[in-house]
Amino acid sequence: MVCDKCEKKLGVSVTADTWKSGSRSTVASETGKQKLTENKFLTRAKGNRFDPTKANFKMCRICRVATHHPKAHYCQACAYKKSICCMCGKTLMSTKNYKMSST
C-alpha cells in the first residue's frame, strides 16, 4: 500500500505502456528521447540494471523483516494490517470497522 505522494518514487517498468494516447512511451517518442519499438533490455547499459543482491533493503520498523522495496520502511504485511503507506507511514484509511489480517 503506497500513498499518492510516494507512488511517484516507485520505479518505472521497462515495458511499453498499452494505453497509447497518453502513455509515457508515446510521449517520450514524440520528444525524441526514446524510440517506440526500442527494446530497453538490450539498449540499456549493464551497469544500470537492478541487482537485488546488492540493493540495500531496510528492515521493517514494526516486525524487523526485510522490506520488499529498497526505499520502504514497512513490509507489505504490516502496511496492510495498519493501513499505512509502506514508504512514509502515512495513514491511508481508518481501519476501525475492518478486520485487517494477513491470513
Side-chain angles (χ1 to χ4, degrees):
M1 301 177 78
V2 182
C3 65
D4 295 333
K5 185 180 91 175
C6 294
E7 191 172 356
K8 297 172 187 171
K9 298 178 187 176
L10 294 175
V12 179
S13 177
V14 295
T15 58
D17 294 335
T18 56
W19 179 58
K20 292 294 181 188
S21 63
S23 65
R24 287 179 289 236
S25 57
T26 57
V27 172
S29 64
E30 290 172 359
T31 59
K33 292 195 305 192
Q34 174 186 349
K35 296 177 186 174
L36 187 59
T37 58
E38 179 183 22
N39 189 343
K40 293 298 286 182
F41 185 74
L42 298 175
T43 59
R44 189 171 53 172
K46 288 191 177 189
N48 295 338
R49 291 187 184 159
F50 176 73
D51 188 8
T53 58
K54 295 180 182 176
N56 187 12
F57 290 97
K58 297 179 184 176
M59 296 299 198
C60 177
R61 292 181 177 176
I62 298 172
C63 65
R64 301 290 181 218
V65 174
T67 59
H68 71 288
H69 195 272
K71 298 178 183 176
H73 295 290
Y74 301 99
C75 65
Q76 279 298 114
C78 292
Y80 175 75
K81 287 177 192 175
K82 305 279 185 186
S83 182
I84 57 175
C85 173
C86 67
M87 295 178 84
C88 66
K90 177 182 169 186
T91 304
L92 298 176
M93 62 182 244
S94 174
T95 58
K96 183 177 179 182
N97 296 326
Y98 296 101
K99 183 178 180 182
M100 302 296 278
S101 65
S102 60
T103 58

